[in-house]
Amino acid sequence: MKKAFAVILSLTLFIGSFAPMSSIVASASENVVLSQVTRDLAEMYKNDGDYKEELASEKTTSVTVENRIIIKCDEETNTYDSVSSTYAYGYRYIQYSDEKDAAEAFKKFEQAGLEPVYDGISTVDDVKYEEVVKTPELDGMYSSTVVRNEKYEWAYGACDIDETLNYYKYRTGREVVVGVIDSGIQYNIKTLKNRVIRTNADFSGMATDDEMDRFGHGTQVATTVAMCSPSNVKIEGFKVTNNNNIMDSSVLLALSYIKEMNKKPDIINMSFSGTSMDSHIEDVIDELTDMGIVFVSSAGNDGREVKTYPAAYENVIAVAATDKNNNPCTFSNSSNYVDISAPGYFTSYKATYQSNAPSYVYSQGTSFSAPIVSAAAAIIASEHSSFTPKQIKNSLIDGAIPFAEKDCNKKYGKGVVNFSNLVNISRCKDVKASIPSGVYNGNVTAELSCDNTLVNIIYTTDGTLPSPKNGNIYSSPINLTQSTRIIAAAYEKTDSVFHGRFFCADYYIDELSEFVVDDNGMVKAYLGASKTVTVPEEIGGIKLVGIDENCFRYTDIKEISLPNSVCKIGDFAFYLCNDLKCNLLSEGITDVGSYAFAYSGINSAVFENCKNADESAFEGSDVKTVKLGLIKEIKNAMFKNCSSLKTLCCPNVADCKNNAQNVFENCGSLKTLFLPKARSLYLDIPSNVNLFVSNKLSFDASNNTGFKYTFIAQLEKGISALKELIEKKTTSMSTNMYEFKDTGGFANSKGAQIRVSDYGLRFGFSWKEIEGLEDLSDSVEYGFLLNYGDTDVLDADNAYKKIKAANVSKNADVTDFNLVITKIPQNQRELTLSVRAYVNIDGWYFYSPIVKRSFYGVAGEVVDDEDVEVTVRESVFDMIRNGGTQ
């Protein structure tokens, strides 16, 4: 269980005269508990010498401490011969004499239903920085009232930070607190005067009851936040390390402590990363997110595509790094989980407890990108006190300056964070272009306009943000002779209001196709201008076989149609395509990647031949109807937060048990779940739902949500087994939440009629469609089952005759169909015929009640029925009396 833990640093520019601000963050009793726990952990950490030597000798970034276990439990939980342990906020940290004892205890904890994890030690990445020579021009520089040093301070312009800070200079916003989980803060430096809220807590293992920074990294992160935010944004330090080592247990303890605080931070910045992490950390992050806290984390500095934690956790905003030209930094990690980017080089203050006069340095790393985004999130939280963490994240992404579709694979997020786009203010109208982004054959001319008249439209074509000091004042149409990006904004000529939001458009001149395709036939990107996209079967002689990962991610397309040659939808292919409101039907798609349609606006997805759909494939989407025809397993979070989902049809799924977590979480609209072959099911559906299931189903009812589940199985032989299972696994009270039906009464009988002219019987039936089910089926067959004699056992397996209905009559959602038996021999007219109708939907039989009639029996009823016309009754009577011949 090796852990690679890369911690990256950050820098900022902020000089002044400051003093610490104090605030009571926890009760005295909580502080006593915390002090004891940190002392206990400090004693445990003293025994980590061998692991630290291993860390150094193997030149690795992380090792697992295999003689220390962390569990979530009650305080009295047995620790199985531990040498020491300590307990705080629902977690116990347990030390063992050796790895063997720890391994034995680990198994016992698992057997007891707990979730043990080993602690870990990781190293901090080396930090590259350059000390900035202080000059009178640089000292005290804090706003655009002075010229920024272009070599060191370009990040302010790249994100439009100065313009935003100037706007807030004379405005008072509500207090927003950014918590920095790091190496603490040197809170005595002038740069942070009136910006720090003291925590008086040390989770690092030194047990000093003080968050003073002894390493410097946390101070760099904190000053980055301060330099990028107005004065109403305060900073709290949560100290988890003192050097280049960091412990999972320290991070978990800090997060658990924050959960108990009376006044919690609004934003939490975590400028560290690792390829694995204690799973309890994610649990607490999720809990704090539910409490309204926004988490931001750096992606890491390994320069590779890798999933790192905590950045990759669902409820954490993951930040990568960009350079002066808004291109991804070569040192920055990348991955599909990355949400946004920010400058990876920044000026900040490096200071420790020994340096009240800090160094002003220019450093590189995603640790500096993360606090820039944390500061941006704080501005949103300041203006929108009711925003949820999800809304703040969406605002950051929506306001970013997007990467060009052709130049970026979207593994660095949507684009570069932009501060001015986040400000909620009456401002100039947006700039518009006469032609949209897209592919054009030959030169084109773009005209820019704004609904305001007394403005200057300022634009750039080099990828940088336009400003009065950087860019061109638009005066005439722009002739485009080569592929060009235009970024523009409207500035009022009187300079009395904030400029408009930034407009961005990419024009691709003389491209061969609006699709970027690789040699394997995967569509890598869409460059076209149309919001209605039709993917061809072939481009440039290459047959298209799939939509690659991230291809349409973040785009505003509204409709898409795919050829049957496209069989694969890659990871994140349509992620966050909010405007995609189409019904996507495809016989070609066989594989759907993770998060492929997550958080998109797709209305329905019917993939008849889909064999595999990965985790979170539709998570958070607006989808209402889904059919995945050939998949055999439903995976983690596949439909989590699909609040509009009504019908799910997976006719070949065999496994939907509890190892697939959160599959139907928050699916409050789900009404029909068609899993006719499922042998296992985990009942956590927050809706009254009809479950079409196997006769041999077993399910876990331990997570009963209080909703009513109606199980529908094939005839009574399936229902009896399910009822027996319910009685064994649930209390008598909870059985009221379950209802059972077999498929024997879904079609309706309309009785039998005599046919005098040909000595026949007509059996009438009707069928009312099951909402959402028949529309998703491959085939629907209407028919009849016939047995001679009076029988109560009649289904597709034992019928003497199975007769497909020749004619059906449809009226809205009701279908009528009739069985006509003619020329019944005289010697069989007293014989009872047992008949029932069936409707076969994708191999699943739904039946009517059994109708039992004989020719003479029906004839006698007609004769005795005074409501029947006299002439009819007489003709039937004559037929019976004469014995009728054919």
Side-chain angles (χ1 to χ4, degrees):
M1 188 175 170
K2 295 284 185 182
K3 302 198 175 187
F5 220 110
V7 177
I8 316 118
L9 304 186
S10 62
L11 297 168
T12 34
L13 173 63
F14 186 88
I15 297 179
S17 178
F18 303 92
M21 173 184 288
S22 61
S23 174
I24 297 175
V25 297
S27 67
S29 61
E30 287 174 341
N31 282 331
V32 169
V33 170
L34 179 62
S35 296
Q36 182 59 54
V37 173
T38 55
R39 287 195 295 270
D40 291 340
L41 284 176
E43 288 299 315
M44 294 183 194
Y45 296 160
K46 290 179 181 179
N47 299 316
D48 294 340
D50 291 342
Y51 296 105
K52 292 177 181 177
E53 288 181 11
E54 179 185 348
L55 195 65
S57 62
E58 293 189 3
K59 297 182 180 180
T60 183
T61 58
S62 173
V63 296
T64 300
V65 180
E66 295 181 349
N67 63 358
R68 185 160 57 248
I69 293 175
I70 307 171
I71 57 172
K72 184 176 184 179
C73 62
D74 297 327
E75 190 167 1
E76 297 78 17
T77 298
N78 190 338
T79 60
Y80 304 114
D81 300 323
S82 64
V83 295
S84 63
S85 72
T86 190
Y87 184 87
Y89 314 123
Y91 291 92
R92 184 164 288 283
Y93 307 83
I94 313 167
Q95 186 78 30
Y96 293 89
S97 59
D98 54 40
E99 296 176 0
K100 180 181 178 182
D101 287 351
E104 291 177 355
F106 197 98
K107 292 180 180 178
K108 292 178 180 177
F109 288 134
E110 287 184 321
Q111 292 169 355
L114 301 173
E115 297 180 2
V117 296
Y118 289 111
D119 203 356
I121 309 176
S122 302
T123 60
V124 178
D125 272 355
D126 292 334
V127 180
K128 297 179 181 180
Y129 64 86
E130 175 184 350
E131 187 166 348
V132 177
V133 178
K134 291 188 177 182
T135 68
E137 289 78 21
L138 286 175
D139 194 28
M141 192 180 297
Y142 181 52
S143 73
S144 59
T145 56
V146 293
V147 178
R148 289 285 189 188
N149 181 294
E150 293 183 5
K151 178 179 179 181
Y152 299 114
E153 299 174 317
W154 56 266
Y156 290 91
C159 299
D160 211 18
I161 295 172
D162 280 331
E163 187 86 15
T164 306
L165 293 183
N166 275 345
Y167 167 74
Y168 286 111
K169 212 169 184 181
Y170 305 106
R171 291 168 174 80
T172 302
R174 77 176 187 94
E175 182 179 278
V176 174
V177 179
V178 177
V180 176
I181 298 181
D182 216 289
S183 62
I185 298 177
Q186 212 311 11
Y187 44 76
N188 289 326
I189 61 175
K190 294 180 180 180
T191 310
L192 293 175
K193 182 181 179 182
N194 297 328
R195 300 298 293 274
V196 174
I197 296 176
R198 294 291 309 281
T199 58
N200 300 296
D202 179 3
F203 309 92
S204 69
M206 289 195 70
T208 62
D209 297 333
D210 191 312
E211 74 272 29
M212 174 57 71
D213 191 355
R214 292 174 175 265
F215 184 50
H217 180 257
T219 303
Q220 288 182 278
V221 171
T223 54
T224 301
V225 174
M227 300 293 286
C228 296
S229 61
S231 58
N232 64 300
V233 176
K234 309 301 181 184
I235 303 163
E236 285 180 328
F238 298 91
K239 180 179 178 180
V240 295
T241 187
N242 294 287
N243 47 40
N244 65 338
N245 291 338
I246 190 168
M247 312 293 298
D248 282 7
S249 50
S250 294
V251 175
L252 177 61
L253 181 60
L255 288 168
S256 302
Y257 174 79
I258 291 171
K259 193 173 70 170
E260 301 300 320
M261 290 171 59
N262 294 325
K263 188 178 186 304
K264 300 173 179 62
D266 301 279
I267 320 288
I268 291 179
N269 187 91
M270 299 178 292
S271 286
F272 50 83
S273 62
T275 54
S276 64
M277 186 172 283
D278 175 0
S279 58
H280 297 313
I281 291 175
E282 182 181 15
D283 294 340
V284 182
I285 287 174
D286 291 345
E287 292 172 9
L288 288 169
T289 300
D290 289 340
M291 296 176 185
I293 297 177
V294 176
F295 284 87
V296 181
S297 181
S298 51
N301 289 352
D302 302 309
R304 60 195 178 105
E305 183 181 339
V306 60
K307 180 179 282 191
T308 60
Y309 300 92
Y313 289 144
E314 180 179 357
N315 286 317
V316 177
I317 298 170
V319 186
T322 50
D323 62 18
K324 194 171 185 177
N325 298 315
N326 285 342
N327 295 317
C329 292
T330 56
F331 63 77
S332 176
N333 286 343
S334 63
S335 184
N336 286 331
Y337 73 87
V338 173
D339 298 298
I340 199 166
S341 286
Y345 298 85
F346 205 74
T347 46
S348 66
Y349 289 94
K350 184 174 176 61
T352 68
Y353 72 108
Q354 296 173 323
S355 56
N356 289 336
S359 299
Y360 185 52
V361 292
Y362 178 64
S363 301
Q364 74 174 46
T366 56
S367 277
F368 313 124
S369 310
I372 292 172
V373 172
S374 290
I379 288 174
I380 300 172
S382 176
E383 292 207 354
H384 303 277
S385 60
S386 63
F387 267 23
T388 64
K390 182 179 179 180
Q391 288 174 309
I392 290 176
K393 177 180 178 179
N394 289 342
S395 295
L396 287 168
I397 293 173
D398 291 342
I401 302 299
F403 293 118
E405 289 291 326
K406 186 174 182 180
D407 297 338
C408 184
N409 60 12
K410 301 179 185 177
K411 293 184 179 179
Y412 297 88
K414 182 179 182 181
V416 181
V417 66
N418 184 269
F419 279 58
S420 62
N421 275 354
L422 304 175
V423 178
N424 183 28
I425 182 180
S426 177
R427 60 167 91 205
C428 296
K429 300 294 185 181
D430 293 347
V431 172
K432 295 178 288 186
S434 58
I435 56 174
S437 296
V439 175
Y440 294 91
N441 295 322
N443 299 352
V444 295
T445 299
E447 298 181 23
L448 304 182
S449 63
C450 178
D451 289 343
N452 296 130
T453 55
L454 297 177
V455 298
N456 284 326
I457 296 176
I458 301 178
Y459 71 94
T460 60
T461 57
D462 61 359
T464 61
L465 293 184
S467 72
K469 298 176 183 178
N470 175 50
N472 309 297
I473 297 179
Y474 177 79
S475 58
S476 61
I478 305 168
N479 186 36
L480 302 173
T481 60
Q482 60 184 2
S483 295
T484 304
R485 159 166 282 204
I486 294 178
I487 303 178
Y491 286 80
E492 192 161 314
K493 292 179 179 180
T494 60
D495 197 29
S496 62
V497 297
F498 210 49
H499 64 73
R501 284 172 61 95
F502 287 106
F503 161 82
C504 184
D506 292 299
Y507 300 101
Y508 300 98
I509 308 300
D510 292 332
E511 294 285 342
L512 295 177
S513 170
E514 59 187 1
F515 298 97
V516 179
V517 179
D518 67 15
D519 293 339
N520 297 317
M522 296 296 292
V523 180
K524 307 289 288 186
Y526 172 67
L527 311 179
S530 176
K531 306 304 178 188
T532 300
V533 181
T534 299
V535 179
E537 187 168 330
E538 185 177 293
I539 293 179
I542 300 175
K543 185 177 180 180
L544 302 189
V545 299
I547 306 299
D548 208 359
E549 57 182 342
N550 299 303
C551 180
F552 290 93
R553 184 176 185 176
Y554 304 126
T555 61
D556 56 357
I557 63 169
K558 296 181 178 180
E559 297 276 345
I560 189 164
S561 59
L562 302 173
N564 285 337
S565 62
V566 169
C567 58
K568 181 176 182 180
I569 305 295
D571 297 348
F572 292 82
F574 295 93
Y575 183 77
L576 274 177
C577 290
N578 297 315
D579 295 333
L580 184 65
K581 302 295 184 182
C582 68
N583 300 314
L584 188 54
L585 283 73
S586 173
E587 295 181 3
I589 293 174
T590 59
D591 291 272
V592 177
S594 61
Y595 293 92
F597 295 96
Y599 302 99
S600 73
I602 187 170
N603 184 61
S604 66
V606 180
F607 305 148
E608 298 287 356
N609 296 306
C610 184
K611 298 178 181 179
N612 178 67
D614 286 336
E615 295 182 359
S616 301
F618 295 91
E619 179 177 335
S621 70
D622 294 334
V623 70
K624 299 178 179 63
T625 303
V626 176
K627 181 178 181 181
L628 304 173
L630 300 179
I631 69 168
K632 295 184 178 180
E633 179 183 4
I634 293 181
K635 298 180 181 178
N636 292 355
M638 190 179 288
F639 302 101
K640 180 180 179 181
N641 295 327
C642 290
S643 58
S644 299
L645 180 64
K646 291 185 177 181
T647 304
L648 173 62
C649 180
C650 298
N652 285 287
V653 161
D655 184 14
C656 188
K657 55 179 180 293
N658 62 343
N659 64 354
Q661 297 297 320
N662 308 312
V663 172
F664 301 113
E665 183 178 333
N666 297 323
C667 292
S669 299
L670 188 60
K671 299 302 179 187
T672 301
L673 184 59
F674 189 67
L675 302 174
K677 294 183 181 179
R679 296 296 187 93
S680 59
L681 181 64
Y682 188 55
L683 293 182
D684 60 348
I685 304 168
S687 174
N688 296 331
V689 62
N690 292 321
L691 299 160
F692 295 87
V693 295
S694 165
N695 294 334
K696 299 179 180 179
L697 175 76
S698 66
F699 62 90
D700 184 350
S702 61
N703 195 35
N704 189 292
T705 57
F707 292 91
K708 189 171 184 178
Y709 300 143
T710 301
F711 293 92
I712 301 167
Q714 295 261 27
L715 295 180
E716 294 183 0
K717 60 185 179 183
I719 293 301
S720 59
L722 286 175
K723 285 183 177 179
E724 183 179 348
L725 183 66
I726 282 286
E727 293 173 355
K728 290 180 178 179
K729 290 196 172 186
T730 62
T731 65
S732 58
M733 182 178 296
S734 64
T735 56
N736 296 327
M737 300 174 184
Y738 304 100
E739 184 176 334
F740 303 90
K741 294 181 179 179
D742 64 44
T743 59
F746 274 74
N748 297 313
S749 171
K750 299 170 70 175
Q753 294 178 324
I754 194 76
R755 291 169 59 98
V756 177
S757 61
D758 55 10
Y759 298 95
L761 285 176
R762 176 178 177 272
F763 294 87
F765 300 93
S766 67
W767 165 263
K768 186 175 183 181
E769 290 185 1
I770 299 174
E771 183 180 359
L773 191 57
E774 286 180 72
D775 292 339
L776 297 177
S777 62
D778 288 334
S779 63
V780 179
E781 179 182 292
Y782 302 92
F784 315 94
L785 304 175
L786 171 65
N787 271 1
Y788 292 105
D790 187 337
T791 179
D792 293 323
V793 180
L794 181 56
D795 58 32
D797 294 330
N798 61 27
Y800 176 76
K801 280 189 178 181
K802 180 181 174 184
I803 306 165
K804 184 178 179 180
N807 298 300
V808 296
S809 174
K810 287 185 176 292
N811 183 14
D813 61 346
V814 176
T815 301
D816 293 315
F817 51 111
N818 305 306
L819 172 64
V820 178
I821 302 174
T822 61
K823 298 181 180 179
I824 298 174
Q826 185 173 2
N827 61 355
Q828 293 184 7
R829 292 174 190 169
E830 293 184 357
L831 177 66
T832 297
L833 303 179
S834 295
V835 177
R836 76 187 317 175
Y838 72 81
V839 180
N840 185 325
I841 300 178
D842 283 350
W844 233 56
Y845 283 90
F846 297 86
Y847 300 101
S848 72
I850 300 173
V851 179
K852 304 174 184 180
R853 289 288 187 272
S854 68
F855 179 83
Y856 279 149
V858 175
E861 291 174 0
V862 172
V863 171
D864 294 337
D865 190 347
E866 295 182 355
D867 291 333
V868 177
E869 292 184 7
V870 173
T871 56
V872 174
R873 294 167 61 196
E874 288 178 348
S875 65
V876 172
F877 179 76
D878 288 340
M879 178 189 65
I880 296 173
R881 182 181 57 186
N882 296 328
T885 59
Q886 297 179 358

